[in-house]
């Protein structure tokens, strides 16, 4: 296959290099990724200026842009090439539970799905980053099977890999998103009290059996199918009744 690779940690990050290394063993890969860390950029697109891709080396492009920008450009005219699959990652740090709303790596996969290609996002679920090769092997295994996955057209796979040696992986689990507690309070900057830092993610709240949090805690690879449609269908009748009372 011909695979487009992107991420939100930047084109020079260890994770994306490992991902390209493993996937290029069996496939043709092209990397189009941000020029620097763009974590937590979600699905934002840059619309107030033109974007200039820079070819760092053959089939590796750096762009001063978000992950969604990079995937959008690569699939919509920047490259005169047809791709079969979009893979984003390997993210440094987990994308579990509520994280997927903010994640630039997940957003890059969503953009690929928006533009008609099967897409998956892969993350190494720790801040130690000791076993990127484990995630590289897992990515290679899953991509080898992706053509056999009878997924609906709007499905994105969000994959989290425990940061352990490959021999210590206990297997794969299909999971749902867990939930976090409310995030920590914003923190005042030590040098300028008029500025604030966004607070850290909340701790795990819903992390029971079946969740992505539980799978990672037990050294299973978590594979969560995500959908683009955010409509809450079971509330539609309630909203319709409520709207009838609006004068």
């Amino acid at each position: 296959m011909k695979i487009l690779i992107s991420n939100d940690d930047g084109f020079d990050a260890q994770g994306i290099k490992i991902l390209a290394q493993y996937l290029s063993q069996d496939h043709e890969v092209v990397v189009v990724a941000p020029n620097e860390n763009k974590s937590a950029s979600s699905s934002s697109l840059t619309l107030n200026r033109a974007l200039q891709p820079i070819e760092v080396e053959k089939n590796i492009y750096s762009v001063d842009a978000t992950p969604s920008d990079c995937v959008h450009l690569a699939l919509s005219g920047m490259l005169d090439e047809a791709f079969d699959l979009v893979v984003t990652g390997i993210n440094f740090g987990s994308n579990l539970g509520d994280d997927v709303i903010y994640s630039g790596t997940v957003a890059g996969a969503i953009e690929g799905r928006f533009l008609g290609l099967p897409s998956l996002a892969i993350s190494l679920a720790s801040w130690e980053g000791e076993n990127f090769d484990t995630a590289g092997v897992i990515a290679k295994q899953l991509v080898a099977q992706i053509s056999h996955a009878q997924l609906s057209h709007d499905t994105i796979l969000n994959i989290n890999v425990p940061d352990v040696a490959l021999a210590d992986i206990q297997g794969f689990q299909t999971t749902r998103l867990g939930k976090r507690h409310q995030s920590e309070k914003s923190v005042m900057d030590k040098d300028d009290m008029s500025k604030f830092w966004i607070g850290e993610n909340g701790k795990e709240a819903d992390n029971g059996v079946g969740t992505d949090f539980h799978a990672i805690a037990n050294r299973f690879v978590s594979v969560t199918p995500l959908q683009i449609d955010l409509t809450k269908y079971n509330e539609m009748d309630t909203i319709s009744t409520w709207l009838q009372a609006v004068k």
Side-chain angles (χ1 to χ4, degrees):
M1 290 187 291
K2 189 157 193 176
I3 302 174
L4 174 65
I5 292 176
S6 193
N7 72 347
D8 70 2
D9 293 322
F11 79 98
D12 202 35
Q14 181 181 3
I16 200 169
K17 290 180 177 179
I18 294 291
L19 182 63
Q21 172 190 327
Y22 277 92
L23 295 188
S24 64
Q25 292 172 8
D26 298 318
H27 308 280
E28 183 180 356
V29 304
V30 177
V31 173
V32 182
N35 66 330
E36 60 183 4
N37 192 308
K38 300 287 186 180
S39 294
S41 55
S42 190
S43 287
S44 59
L45 292 174
T46 302
L47 304 177
N48 61 347
R49 59 182 174 85
L51 303 175
Q52 183 175 11
I54 298 173
E55 189 169 13
V56 178
E57 55 184 271
K58 182 175 174 57
N59 287 335
I60 299 178
Y61 296 86
S62 164
V63 193
D64 181 11
T66 69
S68 293
D69 286 328
C70 292
V71 174
H72 191 95
L73 287 176
L75 299 181
S76 301
M78 174 191 138
L79 301 174
D80 186 21
E81 304 179 52
F83 290 92
D84 301 299
L85 178 69
V86 173
V87 183
T88 58
I90 301 166
N91 193 71
F92 181 24
S94 64
N95 277 307
L96 301 167
D98 308 333
D99 301 344
V100 301
I101 298 296
Y102 304 102
S103 168
T105 291
V106 174
I110 290 173
E111 191 67 22
R113 185 68 274 184
F114 274 148
L115 296 172
L117 291 182
S119 302
L120 57 88
I122 184 163
S123 304
L124 186 64
S126 87
W127 290 113
E128 281 71 47
E130 295 177 352
N131 293 276
F132 275 104
D133 282 287
T134 298
V137 172
I138 297 297
K140 181 180 177 181
Q141 292 174 337
L142 292 173
V143 166
Q145 287 293 109
I146 196 71
S147 61
H148 303 295
Q150 300 300 311
L151 301 174
S152 61
H153 71 282
D154 61 347
T155 301
I156 303 102
L157 295 183
N158 183 46
I159 298 146
N160 282 271
V161 181
D163 190 6
V164 298
L166 186 63
D168 293 327
I169 295 289
Q170 298 301 300
F172 295 84
Q173 287 188 352
T174 305
T175 56
R176 64 176 177 84
L177 296 178
K179 297 187 188 306
R180 293 187 182 276
H181 287 291
Q182 184 174 326
S183 63
E184 301 294 328
K185 291 184 177 181
S186 299
V187 179
M188 187 178 293
D189 187 89
K190 295 178 181 178
D191 299 320
D192 186 343
M193 295 186 358
S194 67
K195 297 179 180 179
F196 292 83
W197 294 94
I198 294 293
E200 293 184 3
N201 281 348
K203 304 300 182 184
E204 298 172 16
D206 177 7
N207 60 0
V209 175
T211 66
D212 47 6
F213 287 117
H214 188 271
I216 291 299
N218 289 277
R219 296 188 171 184
F220 284 88
V221 175
S222 166
V223 181
T224 307
L226 304 179
Q227 62 182 0
I228 295 169
D229 185 353
L230 299 179
T231 307
K232 191 173 184 182
Y233 289 97
N234 63 355
E235 293 283 9
M236 292 185 69
D237 289 344
T238 301
I239 298 300
S240 296
T241 301
W242 169 67
L243 288 175
Q244 290 173 10
V246 176
K247 303 296 184 182

